[in-house]
Amino acid sequence: MPGVVVAGDGTSGTSASQLNVPLGVFVNEAGTLYIVDSSNHRIQKWNNGASSGVTVAGTGVSGNSLSELSYPTGIVVDSNGYMYIVDYANSRILRWPPNSNSGECIAACTGVSGNGIDTLNYATALAFDSYGSLFISDGNNHRVQKFQILSGFDETSTTTITTTAITATDHTTSLQTSSKSSRTHSPTIAISIALLLWFLNDWNLSDIVLRLPTIQ
């Protein structure tokens, strides 16, 4: 099945209807193309069905200021129209607001290429996950780096562990004293019984109740 040309006229050039080594493209839900026009050092926005594009990032001249790009290679556009651009020869990632003439650096902003964790060396492509983490293919470093960019997102799932304290039911064991009356006619036994009754009447029985400690 043959393809259909939707942007560019098939020849390299700098006009609004031409492209020069396009290396990346992003398509939004409306069918609008955001084309990384690499050798023209710009991003072209190409509406669905249009015969020409509009420059939305870069000046068309290679440079390293925040209003310039140098051989960009990749792009992602969010739902608010912010463009995330791989600025290849500047070894950095720019976030470019809609309708703006400059961007801001959000990753690898040292101004030089390198192999440290805060640098890139000719990055080529980028992608976001659902947590706002930015993944960058770091070309000449032969690796992929991840940067946490978007606020309000955290890939770490926080689990709240609720500790429930179990309290044992109070167990109270009462020592119940029962007395048996013995009928006897012995004076000694009668005196002993009388003393015992007096003793029990004066004693606080709660003092001899045994209580198990409560488990907390």
Side-chain angles (χ1 to χ4, degrees), residues 85-163:
I85 304 167
V86 180
D87 194 7
Y88 175 80
N90 286 321
S91 295
R92 66 186 181 183
I93 306 299
L94 296 183
R95 175 168 53 199
W96 206 290
N99 305 314
S100 177
N101 58 10
S102 64
E104 60 175 329
C105 186
I106 59 170
C109 303
T110 62
V112 295
S113 62
N115 58 9
I117 59 173
D118 58 346
T119 58
L120 300 169
N121 193 352
Y122 295 104
T124 56
L126 76 168
F128 280 100
D129 67 10
S130 59
Y131 297 100
S133 299
L134 175 62
F135 295 82
I136 304 169
S137 57
D138 192 3
N140 282 4
N141 281 327
H142 314 289
R143 65 187 182 183
V144 173
Q145 289 212 71
K146 181 176 78 171
F147 294 83
Q148 188 65 38
I149 299 297
L150 301 182
S151 61
F153 290 87
D154 188 355
E155 66 178 343
T156 304
S157 177
T158 302
T159 302
T160 302
I161 301 175
T162 303
T163 302

Side-chain angles (χ1 to χ4, degrees), residues 174-208:
S174 298
L175 179 63
Q176 296 178 342
T177 305
S178 61
S179 62
K180 293 183 179 180
S181 298
S182 296
R183 292 186 179 183
T184 178
H185 298 286
S186 170
T188 303
I189 295 176
I191 293 172
S192 298
I193 292 174
L195 290 173
L196 178 61
L197 291 175
W198 173 83
F199 175 79
L200 291 176
N201 184 61
D202 189 65
W203 188 268
N204 186 356
L205 290 179
S206 64
D207 290 339
I208 60 174

Side-chain angles (χ1 to χ4, degrees), residues 45-56:
K45 181 179 178 180
W46 211 290
N47 291 325
N48 189 13
S51 58
S52 62
V54 177
T55 301
V56 291

Side-chain angles (χ1 to χ4, degrees), residues 10-35:
T11 61
S12 64
T14 59
S15 72
S17 62
Q18 293 176 306
L19 301 170
N20 190 0
V21 191
L23 292 181
V25 62
F26 180 89
V27 186
N28 68 13
E29 293 182 353
T32 301
L33 306 179
Y34 290 82
I35 302 169

